[in-house]
Amino acid sequence: MSDYNPVLHAPKGANKKPKRVGRGSSSGHGTTAGRGNKGQQSRSGKKLPYVGFEGGQMPLYRRLAQRGFSNVRFKTPVVCFNIEELEAKFSDGDTVDRAALIEKKLISSKKKEQIKILGKGDVTKKFTVKVDKISKSAKEKIENVGGTVDAVVGAHRKERNMAYAKWRDEKNEKAAAVKNDDKKKK
């Protein structure tokens, strides 16, 4: 038991002192400190100015024409489910909404993408569907079986536009009434 040593040590030669550059000519790494003579690589700071730098030549991303508009930054992500998937995962009389899809682990609770139901497959069960979007064929199939559909966004553009027009007209009428009252007071 006397040979047992609880302190661990690294083997000899495993730990080296760091190379200390630029500490005079007698250190062996003085003057240029292993960086060679002059030039961009010998300077302190970043080695290259930026990603895509081509040595002063006009970079490729600036040589190519930039045309049109991309909607990538503004698009809202949509998760699509077919009716046949709902038929397999849900039982008769269930409500299909975001909470139910998260509970069945079909979508993530962290992401806020819109949910759309598509019409591939057949339905035999009655569902109460409350989602953001639904295709026309899916809506018909669910309602034919006796289910109910409540699509929140994008289902009835005409109705949304009419509601907005009504709100706008009421707002303009109120503003006009306030303006007329101000004129009468003067």
Short mmCIF file of all heavy atoms in Angstrom, two decimals, residues 99-168:
data_model
loop_
_atom_site.label_atom_id
_atom_site.label_comp_id
_atom_site.label_asym_id
_atom_site.label_seq_id
_atom_site.Cartn_x
_atom_site.Cartn_y
_atom_site.Cartn_z
N ALA A 99 -52.88 22.67 -30.43
CA ALA A 99 -52.61 21.98 -29.17
C ALA A 99 -52.66 20.46 -29.34
O ALA A 99 -51.82 19.73 -28.81
CB ALA A 99 -53.61 22.42 -28.11
N ALA A 100 -53.64 19.98 -30.12
CA ALA A 100 -53.77 18.54 -30.33
C ALA A 100 -52.61 18.00 -31.16
O ALA A 100 -52.11 16.90 -30.90
CB ALA A 100 -55.09 18.23 -31.02
N LEU A 101 -52.16 18.76 -32.16
CA LEU A 101 -51.03 18.33 -33.00
C LEU A 101 -49.74 18.32 -32.19
O LEU A 101 -48.89 17.45 -32.39
CB LEU A 101 -50.91 19.25 -34.21
CG LEU A 101 -52.03 19.12 -35.25
CD1 LEU A 101 -51.98 20.26 -36.24
CD2 LEU A 101 -51.96 17.79 -35.97
N ILE A 102 -49.58 19.26 -31.27
CA ILE A 102 -48.40 19.28 -30.41
C ILE A 102 -48.44 18.08 -29.45
O ILE A 102 -47.43 17.42 -29.22
CB ILE A 102 -48.31 20.60 -29.62
CG1 ILE A 102 -47.97 21.75 -30.57
CG2 ILE A 102 -47.29 20.52 -28.51
CD1 ILE A 102 -48.11 23.13 -29.97
N GLU A 103 -49.61 17.79 -28.92
CA GLU A 103 -49.78 16.67 -28.00
C GLU A 103 -49.44 15.33 -28.67
O GLU A 103 -48.84 14.46 -28.06
CB GLU A 103 -51.22 16.64 -27.50
CG GLU A 103 -51.47 15.65 -26.39
CD GLU A 103 -52.92 15.69 -25.92
OE1 GLU A 103 -53.41 16.79 -25.62
OE2 GLU A 103 -53.53 14.61 -25.88
N LYS A 104 -49.81 15.19 -29.96
CA LYS A 104 -49.51 13.97 -30.72
C LYS A 104 -48.10 13.97 -31.28
O LYS A 104 -47.69 13.06 -31.99
CB LYS A 104 -50.50 13.81 -31.88
CG LYS A 104 -51.95 13.75 -31.47
CD LYS A 104 -52.42 12.35 -31.29
CE LYS A 104 -53.92 12.36 -30.98
NZ LYS A 104 -54.41 11.08 -30.61
N LYS A 105 -47.33 15.06 -30.99
CA LYS A 105 -45.94 15.22 -31.43
C LYS A 105 -45.82 15.24 -32.95
O LYS A 105 -44.85 14.71 -33.51
CB LYS A 105 -45.05 14.15 -30.81
CG LYS A 105 -44.99 14.27 -29.30
CD LYS A 105 -44.01 13.35 -28.68
CE LYS A 105 -44.01 13.59 -27.18
NZ LYS A 105 -43.19 12.67 -26.46
N LEU A 106 -46.80 15.85 -33.60
CA LEU A 106 -46.74 16.01 -35.05
C LEU A 106 -46.08 17.34 -35.44
O LEU A 106 -45.55 17.47 -36.53
CB LEU A 106 -48.14 15.92 -35.66
CG LEU A 106 -48.82 14.55 -35.51
CD1 LEU A 106 -50.26 14.62 -35.96
CD2 LEU A 106 -48.08 13.50 -36.30
N ILE A 107 -46.15 18.33 -34.56
CA ILE A 107 -45.46 19.60 -34.76
C ILE A 107 -44.75 19.99 -33.48
O ILE A 107 -45.07 19.49 -32.41
CB ILE A 107 -46.42 20.74 -35.21
CG1 ILE A 107 -47.49 21.00 -34.16
CG2 ILE A 107 -47.03 20.44 -36.56
CD1 ILE A 107 -48.33 22.23 -34.45
N SER A 108 -43.79 20.91 -33.61
CA SER A 108 -43.03 21.38 -32.45
C SER A 108 -43.78 22.51 -31.76
O SER A 108 -44.41 23.34 -32.41
CB SER A 108 -41.66 21.86 -32.89
OG SER A 108 -40.99 22.49 -31.82
N SER A 109 -43.69 22.56 -30.45
CA SER A 109 -44.35 23.64 -29.71
C SER A 109 -43.53 24.92 -29.77
O SER A 109 -44.04 26.00 -29.48
CB SER A 109 -44.54 23.22 -28.26
OG SER A 109 -43.29 22.97 -27.66
N LYS A 110 -42.25 24.83 -30.16
CA LYS A 110 -41.38 26.00 -30.17
C LYS A 110 -41.56 26.84 -31.44
O LYS A 110 -41.39 28.04 -31.42
CB LYS A 110 -39.92 25.57 -30.05
CG LYS A 110 -39.63 24.95 -28.71
CD LYS A 110 -38.22 24.46 -28.60
CE LYS A 110 -37.99 23.80 -27.26
NZ LYS A 110 -36.69 23.17 -27.16
N LYS A 111 -41.90 26.19 -32.55
CA LYS A 111 -42.04 26.91 -33.81
C LYS A 111 -43.46 27.43 -33.96
O LYS A 111 -44.41 26.80 -33.53
CB LYS A 111 -41.68 26.01 -34.99
CG LYS A 111 -40.22 25.62 -34.98
CD LYS A 111 -39.87 24.80 -36.19
CE LYS A 111 -38.40 24.42 -36.18
NZ LYS A 111 -38.06 23.54 -37.27
N LYS A 112 -43.62 28.57 -34.63
CA LYS A 112 -44.91 29.21 -34.80
C LYS A 112 -45.34 29.18 -36.27
O LYS A 112 -45.77 30.19 -36.81
CB LYS A 112 -44.86 30.65 -34.30
CG LYS A 112 -44.57 30.77 -32.83
CD LYS A 112 -45.66 30.15 -31.98
CE LYS A 112 -45.34 30.23 -30.51
NZ LYS A 112 -46.13 29.35 -29.71
N GLU A 113 -45.21 28.05 -36.93
CA GLU A 113 -45.62 27.98 -38.33
C GLU A 113 -47.12 27.79 -38.45
O GLU A 113 -47.77 27.35 -37.50
CB GLU A 113 -44.89 26.84 -39.06
CG GLU A 113 -45.17 25.46 -38.54
CD GLU A 113 -44.08 24.93 -37.63
OE1 GLU A 113 -42.91 25.13 -37.90
OE2 GLU A 113 -44.46 24.30 -36.64
N GLN A 114 -47.67 28.17 -39.60
CA GLN A 114 -49.10 28.00 -39.83
C GLN A 114 -49.39 26.54 -40.18
O GLN A 114 -48.53 25.83 -40.67
CB GLN A 114 -49.56 28.90 -40.98
CG GLN A 114 -49.52 30.37 -40.63
CD GLN A 114 -50.09 31.23 -41.73
OE1 GLN A 114 -50.28 30.80 -42.86
NE2 GLN A 114 -50.37 32.48 -41.40
N ILE A 115 -50.61 26.11 -39.92
CA ILE A 115 -51.01 24.73 -40.16
C ILE A 115 -52.02 24.71 -41.30
O ILE A 115 -53.00 25.47 -41.28
CB ILE A 115 -51.62 24.11 -38.90
CG1 ILE A 115 -50.61 24.15 -37.76
CG2 ILE A 115 -52.07 22.68 -39.16
CD1 ILE A 115 -51.21 23.90 -36.40
N LYS A 116 -51.79 23.84 -42.29
CA LYS A 116 -52.70 23.71 -43.42
C LYS A 116 -53.07 22.25 -43.59
O LYS A 116 -52.23 21.37 -43.49
CB LYS A 116 -52.06 24.24 -44.70
CG LYS A 116 -53.00 24.20 -45.89
CD LYS A 116 -52.44 24.90 -47.10
CE LYS A 116 -53.46 24.90 -48.21
NZ LYS A 116 -53.00 25.67 -49.38
N ILE A 117 -54.35 22.00 -43.88
CA ILE A 117 -54.85 20.65 -44.12
C ILE A 117 -55.10 20.50 -45.61
O ILE A 117 -55.79 21.33 -46.22
CB ILE A 117 -56.15 20.37 -43.33
CG1 ILE A 117 -55.97 20.69 -41.85
CG2 ILE A 117 -56.62 18.94 -43.53
CD1 ILE A 117 -54.98 19.84 -41.12
N LEU A 118 -54.55 19.43 -46.20
CA LEU A 118 -54.72 19.13 -47.62
C LEU A 118 -55.66 17.94 -47.78
O LEU A 118 -55.88 17.18 -46.85
CB LEU A 118 -53.37 18.84 -48.27
CG LEU A 118 -52.34 19.98 -48.16
CD1 LEU A 118 -51.01 19.54 -48.74
CD2 LEU A 118 -52.83 21.23 -48.88
N GLY A 119 -56.18 17.73 -49.00
CA GLY A 119 -57.27 16.78 -49.21
C GLY A 119 -56.89 15.40 -49.69
O GLY A 119 -57.75 14.69 -50.22
N LYS A 120 -55.65 14.95 -49.53
CA LYS A 120 -55.27 13.62 -50.00
C LYS A 120 -55.79 12.56 -49.03
O LYS A 120 -55.54 12.63 -47.83
CB LYS A 120 -53.76 13.51 -50.12
CG LYS A 120 -53.28 12.19 -50.69
CD LYS A 120 -51.77 12.14 -50.76
CE LYS A 120 -51.31 10.78 -51.24
NZ LYS A 120 -49.86 10.63 -51.10
N GLY A 121 -56.49 11.56 -49.54
CA GLY A 121 -57.02 10.49 -48.72
C GLY A 121 -58.51 10.62 -48.48
O GLY A 121 -59.16 11.55 -48.97
N ASP A 122 -59.06 9.66 -47.73
CA ASP A 122 -60.49 9.66 -47.42
C ASP A 122 -60.69 9.78 -45.91
O ASP A 122 -59.83 9.41 -45.12
CB ASP A 122 -61.14 8.37 -47.92
CG ASP A 122 -61.12 8.29 -49.44
OD1 ASP A 122 -61.39 9.33 -50.07
OD2 ASP A 122 -60.84 7.20 -49.98
N VAL A 123 -61.89 10.26 -45.54
CA VAL A 123 -62.21 10.46 -44.13
C VAL A 123 -63.46 9.64 -43.79
O VAL A 123 -64.43 9.64 -44.54
CB VAL A 123 -62.49 11.94 -43.83
CG1 VAL A 123 -62.76 12.15 -42.36
CG2 VAL A 123 -61.35 12.80 -44.26
N THR A 124 -63.41 8.96 -42.64
CA THR A 124 -64.58 8.25 -42.13
C THR A 124 -64.97 8.76 -40.76
O THR A 124 -66.07 8.53 -40.30
CB THR A 124 -64.29 6.73 -42.03
OG1 THR A 124 -63.14 6.54 -41.21
CG2 THR A 124 -64.03 6.14 -43.42
N LYS A 125 -64.08 9.50 -40.09
CA LYS A 125 -64.32 10.00 -38.74
C LYS A 125 -64.73 11.47 -38.78
O LYS A 125 -64.34 12.21 -39.67
CB LYS A 125 -63.05 9.86 -37.91
CG LYS A 125 -62.53 8.44 -37.82
CD LYS A 125 -61.17 8.41 -37.17
CE LYS A 125 -60.59 7.01 -37.17
NZ LYS A 125 -59.21 6.98 -36.69
N LYS A 126 -65.51 11.86 -37.77
CA LYS A 126 -65.93 13.26 -37.66
C LYS A 126 -64.88 14.02 -36.87
O LYS A 126 -64.57 13.66 -35.73
CB LYS A 126 -67.27 13.35 -36.94
CG LYS A 126 -68.43 12.76 -37.70
CD LYS A 126 -69.70 12.91 -36.90
CE LYS A 126 -70.86 12.26 -37.61
NZ LYS A 126 -72.10 12.35 -36.84
N PHE A 127 -64.34 15.06 -37.47
CA PHE A 127 -63.35 15.91 -36.81
C PHE A 127 -63.90 17.32 -36.65
O PHE A 127 -64.69 17.78 -37.47
CB PHE A 127 -62.06 16.02 -37.65
CG PHE A 127 -61.33 14.73 -37.84
CD1 PHE A 127 -61.03 14.28 -39.11
CD2 PHE A 127 -60.92 13.98 -36.77
CE1 PHE A 127 -60.35 13.11 -39.30
CE2 PHE A 127 -60.24 12.81 -36.94
CZ PHE A 127 -59.95 12.37 -38.21
N THR A 128 -63.44 17.98 -35.62
CA THR A 128 -63.62 19.43 -35.50
C THR A 128 -62.26 20.03 -35.78
O THR A 128 -61.34 19.89 -34.97
CB THR A 128 -64.11 19.82 -34.10
OG1 THR A 128 -65.31 19.11 -33.82
CG2 THR A 128 -64.36 21.30 -34.00
N VAL A 129 -62.11 20.67 -36.93
CA VAL A 129 -60.81 21.16 -37.38
C VAL A 129 -60.73 22.66 -37.19
O VAL A 129 -61.54 23.41 -37.71
CB VAL A 129 -60.58 20.79 -38.87
CG1 VAL A 129 -59.24 21.32 -39.34
CG2 VAL A 129 -60.66 19.29 -39.07
N LYS A 130 -59.72 23.09 -36.40
CA LYS A 130 -59.46 24.52 -36.18
C LYS A 130 -58.00 24.78 -36.51
O LYS A 130 -57.12 24.58 -35.67
CB LYS A 130 -59.75 24.90 -34.73
CG LYS A 130 -61.20 24.77 -34.35
CD LYS A 130 -61.42 25.14 -32.91
CE LYS A 130 -62.88 24.99 -32.53
NZ LYS A 130 -63.12 25.30 -31.12
N VAL A 131 -57.75 25.18 -37.76
CA VAL A 131 -56.39 25.41 -38.23
C VAL A 131 -56.33 26.76 -38.95
O VAL A 131 -57.33 27.46 -39.06
CB VAL A 131 -55.93 24.28 -39.18
CG1 VAL A 131 -55.78 22.98 -38.44
CG2 VAL A 131 -56.88 24.13 -40.35
N ASP A 132 -55.13 27.10 -39.44
CA ASP A 132 -54.95 28.37 -40.13
C ASP A 132 -55.49 28.33 -41.55
O ASP A 132 -56.15 29.27 -41.99
CB ASP A 132 -53.46 28.74 -40.15
CG ASP A 132 -52.91 28.92 -38.76
OD1 ASP A 132 -53.54 29.65 -37.98
OD2 ASP A 132 -51.87 28.33 -38.44
N LYS A 133 -55.19 27.25 -42.28
CA LYS A 133 -55.60 27.16 -43.67
C LYS A 133 -56.10 25.75 -43.96
O LYS A 133 -55.69 24.79 -43.31
CB LYS A 133 -54.41 27.45 -44.60
CG LYS A 133 -53.84 28.84 -44.45
CD LYS A 133 -52.68 29.04 -45.37
CE LYS A 133 -52.14 30.46 -45.25
NZ LYS A 133 -51.15 30.75 -46.27
N ILE A 134 -56.96 25.64 -44.99
CA ILE A 134 -57.45 24.33 -45.40
C ILE A 134 -57.79 24.39 -46.88
O ILE A 134 -58.26 25.41 -47.38
CB ILE A 134 -58.68 23.91 -44.55
CG1 ILE A 134 -59.03 22.45 -44.82
CG2 ILE A 134 -59.86 24.82 -44.79
CD1 ILE A 134 -59.91 21.84 -43.76
N SER A 135 -57.51 23.30 -47.59
CA SER A 135 -57.84 23.27 -49.01
C SER A 135 -59.33 23.01 -49.20
O SER A 135 -60.01 22.50 -48.30
CB SER A 135 -57.02 22.19 -49.73
OG SER A 135 -57.46 20.91 -49.36
N LYS A 136 -59.81 23.36 -50.39
CA LYS A 136 -61.25 23.25 -50.67
C LYS A 136 -61.70 21.80 -50.61
O LYS A 136 -62.74 21.46 -50.04
CB LYS A 136 -61.52 23.84 -52.05
CG LYS A 136 -62.95 24.09 -52.37
CD LYS A 136 -63.06 24.82 -53.70
CE LYS A 136 -64.50 25.14 -54.02
NZ LYS A 136 -64.61 25.82 -55.32
N SER A 137 -60.88 20.89 -51.20
CA SER A 137 -61.25 19.46 -51.23
C SER A 137 -61.27 18.87 -49.82
O SER A 137 -62.14 18.08 -49.48
CB SER A 137 -60.29 18.68 -52.12
OG SER A 137 -58.97 18.76 -51.62
N ALA A 138 -60.30 19.27 -48.98
CA ALA A 138 -60.25 18.77 -47.61
C ALA A 138 -61.47 19.23 -46.82
O ALA A 138 -62.08 18.46 -46.08
CB ALA A 138 -58.97 19.23 -46.93
N LYS A 139 -61.84 20.49 -47.02
CA LYS A 139 -63.00 21.03 -46.32
C LYS A 139 -64.27 20.29 -46.72
O LYS A 139 -65.09 19.91 -45.87
CB LYS A 139 -63.14 22.52 -46.64
CG LYS A 139 -64.23 23.21 -45.87
CD LYS A 139 -64.24 24.70 -46.14
CE LYS A 139 -65.32 25.36 -45.32
NZ LYS A 139 -65.40 26.80 -45.54
N GLU A 140 -64.42 20.02 -48.02
CA GLU A 140 -65.61 19.30 -48.50
C GLU A 140 -65.67 17.89 -47.91
O GLU A 140 -66.72 17.44 -47.46
CB GLU A 140 -65.59 19.22 -50.03
CG GLU A 140 -65.90 20.54 -50.70
CD GLU A 140 -65.70 20.48 -52.21
OE1 GLU A 140 -65.38 19.40 -52.75
OE2 GLU A 140 -65.87 21.53 -52.85
N LYS A 141 -64.53 17.19 -47.91
CA LYS A 141 -64.50 15.81 -47.41
C LYS A 141 -64.85 15.76 -45.92
O LYS A 141 -65.59 14.88 -45.48
CB LYS A 141 -63.13 15.18 -47.65
CG LYS A 141 -62.88 14.85 -49.11
CD LYS A 141 -61.49 14.26 -49.29
CE LYS A 141 -61.22 13.98 -50.76
NZ LYS A 141 -59.88 13.42 -50.98
N ILE A 142 -64.32 16.67 -45.14
CA ILE A 142 -64.58 16.68 -43.69
C ILE A 142 -66.05 17.01 -43.42
O ILE A 142 -66.70 16.38 -42.59
CB ILE A 142 -63.64 17.67 -42.97
CG1 ILE A 142 -62.20 17.15 -43.01
CG2 ILE A 142 -64.07 17.88 -41.52
CD1 ILE A 142 -61.16 18.14 -42.55
N GLU A 143 -66.58 17.99 -44.14
CA GLU A 143 -67.97 18.38 -43.92
C GLU A 143 -68.96 17.33 -44.44
O GLU A 143 -70.06 17.20 -43.89
CB GLU A 143 -68.24 19.75 -44.57
CG GLU A 143 -67.57 20.87 -43.79
CD GLU A 143 -67.73 22.23 -44.44
OE1 GLU A 143 -68.12 22.31 -45.63
OE2 GLU A 143 -67.46 23.24 -43.76
N ASN A 144 -68.61 16.58 -45.47
CA ASN A 144 -69.48 15.52 -45.99
C ASN A 144 -69.67 14.40 -44.98
O ASN A 144 -70.72 13.77 -44.92
CB ASN A 144 -68.92 14.94 -47.30
CG ASN A 144 -69.11 15.90 -48.46
OD1 ASN A 144 -69.88 16.84 -48.39
ND2 ASN A 144 -68.38 15.66 -49.54
N VAL A 145 -68.65 14.13 -44.18
CA VAL A 145 -68.73 13.08 -43.16
C VAL A 145 -69.50 13.56 -41.94
O VAL A 145 -70.00 12.76 -41.15
CB VAL A 145 -67.29 12.63 -42.76
CG1 VAL A 145 -67.30 11.62 -41.66
CG2 VAL A 145 -66.56 12.07 -43.96
N GLY A 146 -69.59 14.89 -41.75
CA GLY A 146 -70.31 15.44 -40.61
C GLY A 146 -69.42 16.22 -39.67
O GLY A 146 -69.85 16.64 -38.60
N GLY A 147 -68.18 16.44 -40.06
CA GLY A 147 -67.27 17.23 -39.23
C GLY A 147 -67.45 18.71 -39.47
O GLY A 147 -68.18 19.14 -40.37
N THR A 148 -66.78 19.51 -38.64
CA THR A 148 -66.85 20.97 -38.79
C THR A 148 -65.46 21.52 -39.04
O THR A 148 -64.47 20.99 -38.54
CB THR A 148 -67.44 21.64 -37.53
OG1 THR A 148 -66.62 21.27 -36.40
CG2 THR A 148 -68.86 21.22 -37.29
N VAL A 149 -65.41 22.61 -39.82
CA VAL A 149 -64.13 23.21 -40.19
C VAL A 149 -64.16 24.69 -39.82
O VAL A 149 -65.12 25.39 -40.13
CB VAL A 149 -63.87 23.05 -41.71
CG1 VAL A 149 -62.62 23.81 -42.11
CG2 VAL A 149 -63.74 21.59 -42.07
N ASP A 150 -63.10 25.13 -39.16
CA ASP A 150 -62.93 26.54 -38.84
C ASP A 150 -61.50 26.92 -39.20
O ASP A 150 -60.57 26.71 -38.43
CB ASP A 150 -63.20 26.79 -37.35
CG ASP A 150 -63.06 28.26 -36.98
OD1 ASP A 150 -63.19 29.11 -37.88
OD2 ASP A 150 -62.81 28.54 -35.80
N ALA A 151 -61.32 27.44 -40.43
CA ALA A 151 -60.00 27.88 -40.88
C ALA A 151 -59.86 29.35 -40.54
O ALA A 151 -60.68 30.17 -40.95
CB ALA A 151 -59.83 27.64 -42.36
N VAL A 152 -58.82 29.71 -39.81
CA VAL A 152 -58.69 31.05 -39.27
C VAL A 152 -58.25 32.04 -40.33
O VAL A 152 -58.85 33.09 -40.52
CB VAL A 152 -57.67 31.04 -38.10
CG1 VAL A 152 -57.50 32.42 -37.54
CG2 VAL A 152 -58.13 30.08 -37.03
N VAL A 153 -57.17 31.73 -41.06
CA VAL A 153 -56.56 32.68 -41.98
C VAL A 153 -56.67 32.18 -43.41
O VAL A 153 -56.48 31.01 -43.67
CB VAL A 153 -55.07 32.89 -41.63
CG1 VAL A 153 -54.40 33.80 -42.62
CG2 VAL A 153 -54.94 33.46 -40.24
N GLY A 154 -56.94 33.07 -44.34
CA GLY A 154 -56.84 32.75 -45.76
C GLY A 154 -57.99 31.98 -46.33
O GLY A 154 -57.97 31.62 -47.50
N ALA A 155 -59.02 31.67 -45.54
CA ALA A 155 -60.11 30.87 -46.07
C ALA A 155 -61.06 31.72 -46.89
O ALA A 155 -61.46 31.34 -47.98
CB ALA A 155 -60.86 30.20 -44.93
N HIS A 156 -61.41 32.89 -46.38
CA HIS A 156 -62.41 33.71 -47.05
C HIS A 156 -61.86 35.12 -47.23
O HIS A 156 -62.12 36.01 -46.43
CB HIS A 156 -63.70 33.75 -46.22
CG HIS A 156 -64.17 32.38 -45.84
ND1 HIS A 156 -64.69 31.51 -46.74
CD2 HIS A 156 -64.16 31.73 -44.65
CE1 HIS A 156 -65.01 30.38 -46.12
NE2 HIS A 156 -64.68 30.49 -44.86
N ARG A 157 -61.11 35.31 -48.27
CA ARG A 157 -60.47 36.60 -48.51
C ARG A 157 -61.51 37.69 -48.73
O ARG A 157 -61.35 38.82 -48.29
CB ARG A 157 -59.54 36.49 -49.71
CG ARG A 157 -58.79 37.77 -49.98
CD ARG A 157 -57.84 37.62 -51.12
NE ARG A 157 -56.70 36.85 -50.66
CZ ARG A 157 -55.73 36.41 -51.46
NH1 ARG A 157 -55.78 36.62 -52.72
NH2 ARG A 157 -54.73 35.73 -50.97
N LYS A 158 -62.58 37.34 -49.44
CA LYS A 158 -63.62 38.33 -49.73
C LYS A 158 -64.23 38.87 -48.43
O LYS A 158 -64.42 40.08 -48.27
CB LYS A 158 -64.72 37.67 -50.58
CG LYS A 158 -65.16 38.47 -51.75
CD LYS A 158 -66.18 37.71 -52.54
CE LYS A 158 -66.08 38.10 -53.99
NZ LYS A 158 -67.05 37.43 -54.82
N GLU A 159 -64.54 37.96 -47.50
CA GLU A 159 -65.13 38.37 -46.23
C GLU A 159 -64.17 39.24 -45.43
O GLU A 159 -64.57 40.23 -44.81
CB GLU A 159 -65.51 37.14 -45.42
CG GLU A 159 -66.66 36.35 -46.02
CD GLU A 159 -66.90 35.04 -45.30
OE1 GLU A 159 -66.35 34.85 -44.19
OE2 GLU A 159 -67.64 34.22 -45.84
N ARG A 160 -62.90 38.88 -45.43
CA ARG A 160 -61.89 39.68 -44.73
C ARG A 160 -61.81 41.08 -45.32
O ARG A 160 -61.76 42.08 -44.60
CB ARG A 160 -60.51 39.01 -44.84
CG ARG A 160 -60.21 38.06 -43.75
CD ARG A 160 -58.72 37.78 -43.60
NE ARG A 160 -57.92 38.09 -44.75
CZ ARG A 160 -57.35 37.19 -45.54
NH1 ARG A 160 -57.49 35.91 -45.31
NH2 ARG A 160 -56.61 37.54 -46.56
N ASN A 161 -61.80 41.15 -46.66
CA ASN A 161 -61.71 42.45 -47.33
C ASN A 161 -62.94 43.30 -47.04
O ASN A 161 -62.83 44.51 -46.85
CB ASN A 161 -61.53 42.26 -48.83
CG ASN A 161 -60.16 41.71 -49.17
OD1 ASN A 161 -59.27 41.68 -48.31
ND2 ASN A 161 -59.96 41.26 -50.39
N MET A 162 -64.11 42.66 -47.00
CA MET A 162 -65.34 43.40 -46.71
C MET A 162 -65.33 43.93 -45.28
O MET A 162 -65.74 45.06 -45.01
CB MET A 162 -66.55 42.51 -46.96
CG MET A 162 -66.83 42.28 -48.44
SD MET A 162 -68.12 41.08 -48.74
CE MET A 162 -69.53 41.90 -48.06
N ALA A 163 -64.84 43.11 -44.36
CA ALA A 163 -64.76 43.53 -42.95
C ALA A 163 -63.80 44.70 -42.80
O ALA A 163 -64.08 45.66 -42.07
CB ALA A 163 -64.32 42.36 -42.08
N TYR A 164 -62.68 44.64 -43.52
CA TYR A 164 -61.71 45.74 -43.47
C TYR A 164 -62.32 47.02 -44.06
O TYR A 164 -62.16 48.11 -43.49
CB TYR A 164 -60.43 45.38 -44.24
CG TYR A 164 -59.50 46.55 -44.40
CD1 TYR A 164 -58.76 47.02 -43.33
CD2 TYR A 164 -59.39 47.22 -45.61
CE1 TYR A 164 -57.92 48.11 -43.46
CE2 TYR A 164 -58.57 48.31 -45.75
CZ TYR A 164 -57.82 48.76 -44.68
OH TYR A 164 -57.00 49.84 -44.81
N ALA A 165 -63.04 46.88 -45.18
CA ALA A 165 -63.65 48.05 -45.82
C ALA A 165 -64.68 48.69 -44.89
O ALA A 165 -64.76 49.93 -44.80
CB ALA A 165 -64.30 47.64 -47.14
N LYS A 166 -65.44 47.86 -44.20
CA LYS A 166 -66.44 48.36 -43.25
C LYS A 166 -65.76 49.13 -42.11
O LYS A 166 -66.17 50.23 -41.75
CB LYS A 166 -67.25 47.19 -42.70
CG LYS A 166 -68.37 47.59 -41.79
CD LYS A 166 -69.12 46.37 -41.31
CE LYS A 166 -70.20 46.75 -40.31
NZ LYS A 166 -70.84 45.57 -39.75
N TRP A 167 -64.69 48.56 -41.56
CA TRP A 167 -63.95 49.21 -40.48
C TRP A 167 -63.37 50.54 -40.96
O TRP A 167 -63.44 51.55 -40.26
CB TRP A 167 -62.83 48.29 -40.00
CG TRP A 167 -61.85 48.95 -39.09
CD1 TRP A 167 -62.00 49.16 -37.75
CD2 TRP A 167 -60.60 49.54 -39.45
NE1 TRP A 167 -60.90 49.81 -37.25
CE2 TRP A 167 -60.02 50.06 -38.27
CE3 TRP A 167 -59.90 49.66 -40.63
CZ2 TRP A 167 -58.81 50.69 -38.26
CZ3 TRP A 167 -58.68 50.29 -40.63
CH2 TRP A 167 -58.13 50.80 -39.44
N ARG A 168 -62.80 50.55 -42.18
CA ARG A 168 -62.19 51.76 -42.74
C ARG A 168 -63.24 52.86 -42.92
O ARG A 168 -63.00 54.02 -42.60
CB ARG A 168 -61.54 51.42 -44.08
CG ARG A 168 -60.79 52.58 -44.72
CD ARG A 168 -60.42 52.27 -46.14
NE ARG A 168 -61.64 52.04 -46.90
CZ ARG A 168 -61.75 51.14 -47.88
NH1 ARG A 168 -60.74 50.40 -48.22
NH2 ARG A 168 -62.89 50.99 -48.53
#
